[in-house]
Amino acid sequence: MNITDRQQEIMDTAIAIIAEEGIQKLTTKALSRRIGISEPALYRHFENKLAILVAILEHFSQWSRIVLWEIVESDRSPEDKIRELFRRHAVRFVESPATSAVLFSEEIFKNHPELVQSMTGIMSAAEGFVRHILEEGIAAGRLRADVPLEHLAMVTLGALRLLVTRWRLNDYGFDLQAESDRLAGSVVAMVAVSP
């Protein structure tokens, strides 16, 4: 997905409006006013508000797939791959805190099958990468084989999502990277084979 500078500005502004005021306040009028362009000029870059939201999700999806692929293909141990998954996502959200308001706000997806489909794709891809890491660890005898793989993946991704959501709801009031490192250590302890 090639994004122009103006499209990126529109997406970043949309994310900021959602984070600050909620999805209800995201309108093409509010966007164009904040950016300082006319509504017709906005439509030259995106067909409508829905197209902007889909682009935001696709942009994050591309980033996430690249990062997860790098982690899976690295020479790290399965435990360190889990830690790196948490670390890289924490860094991303710290760099762009408002993105969490879009990704983890179910109200945005209501009545929009295109957004549900995009978010489902992001979740499925992430789960696939995590399952690969877990399978590698199970095959090596380092991670638990006595718990269903899909549950281990759900616990791993669910823990990350809950932490980021809590951080956002606390007005980004704690060190996400430090908490992410601690949580990743706890997740690894739960999924690792007991010594």
Side-chain angles (χ1 to χ4, degrees), residues 9-36 42 49 52-53 56 98-99 101-102 107-108 172:
E9 180 184 17
I10 292 166
M11 290 163 49
D12 291 343
T13 304
I15 291 169
I17 290 171
I18 292 168
E20 294 164 15
E21 304 177 49
I23 187 65
Q24 304 83 2
K25 299 292 184 179
L26 178 63
T27 63
T28 54
K29 182 175 284 206
L31 263 172
S32 60
R33 185 172 45 245
R34 193 178 283 200
I35 294 170
L42 187 72
K49 180 172 83 170
I52 296 168
L53 293 171
I56 290 167
T99 303
V102 175
E107 90 179 76
I108 291 174
Y172 316 110

Side-chain angles (χ1 to χ4, degrees), residues 112-184:
H112 295 292
E114 301 93 334
L115 298 179
V116 170
Q117 183 179 359
S118 292
M119 194 63 208
T120 301
I122 291 170
M123 291 168 50
S124 294
E127 183 179 359
F129 283 112
V130 170
R131 286 172 71 114
H132 184 83
I133 293 168
L134 296 169
E135 286 170 344
E136 177 187 335
I138 290 167
R142 299 175 69 101
L143 301 181
R144 296 176 63 166
D146 61 329
V147 176
L149 189 63
E150 66 266 18
H151 293 171
L152 293 176
M154 217 179 292
V155 165
T156 302
L157 291 170
L160 178 60
R161 180 184 176 115
L162 183 60
L163 176 65
V164 174
T165 299
R166 196 177 90 214
W167 174 68
R168 179 175 56 85
L169 294 175
N170 280 288
D171 201 24
Y172 316 110
F174 59 84
D175 184 338
L176 180 63
Q177 288 175 261
E179 285 300 310
S180 174
D181 289 345
R182 289 182 55 221
L183 181 59

Side-chain angles (χ1 to χ4, degrees), residues 2 51 170 188 195:
N2 293 326
N170 280 288
V188 166

Side-chain angles (χ1 to χ4, degrees), residues 2-148:
N2 293 326
I3 295 176
T4 66
D5 290 343
R6 178 63 87 183
Q7 285 175 319
Q8 187 64 57
E9 180 184 17
I10 292 166
M11 290 163 49
D12 291 343
T13 304
I15 291 169
I17 290 171
I18 292 168
E20 294 164 15
E21 304 177 49
I23 187 65
Q24 304 83 2
K25 299 292 184 179
L26 178 63
T27 63
T28 54
K29 182 175 284 206
L31 263 172
S32 60
R33 185 172 45 245
R34 193 178 283 200
I35 294 170
I37 61 174
S38 67
E39 279 187 78
L42 187 72
Y43 290 123
R44 284 197 289 272
H45 300 283
F46 288 102
E47 183 181 336
N48 53 34
K49 180 172 83 170
L50 184 60
I52 296 168
L53 293 171
V54 168
I56 290 167
L57 292 177
E58 286 179 4
H59 189 65
F60 181 83
S61 177
Q62 283 181 345
W63 173 86
S64 184
R65 287 172 195 260
I66 290 167
V67 165
L68 290 169
W69 178 256
E70 289 171 0
I71 292 169
V72 165
E73 291 298 307
S74 73
D75 292 334
R76 293 179 175 93
S77 69
E79 298 91 335
D80 283 344
K81 288 179 181 183
I82 293 170
R83 289 184 188 96
E84 185 66 4
L85 177 145
F86 276 74
R87 189 190 72 75
R88 295 282 294 270
H89 281 81
V91 166
R92 171 68 183 225
F93 288 121
V94 167
E95 288 173 352
S96 178
T99 303
S100 64
V102 175
L103 291 173
F104 302 142
S105 180
E106 283 78 16
E107 90 179 76
I108 291 174
F109 305 106
K110 287 181 184 172
N111 306 317
H112 295 292
E114 301 93 334
L115 298 179
V116 170
Q117 183 179 359
S118 292
M119 194 63 208
T120 301
I122 291 170
M123 291 168 50
S124 294
E127 183 179 359
F129 283 112
V130 170
R131 286 172 71 114
H132 184 83
I133 293 168
L134 296 169
E135 286 170 344
E136 177 187 335
I138 290 167
R142 299 175 69 101
L143 301 181
R144 296 176 63 166
D146 61 329
V147 176

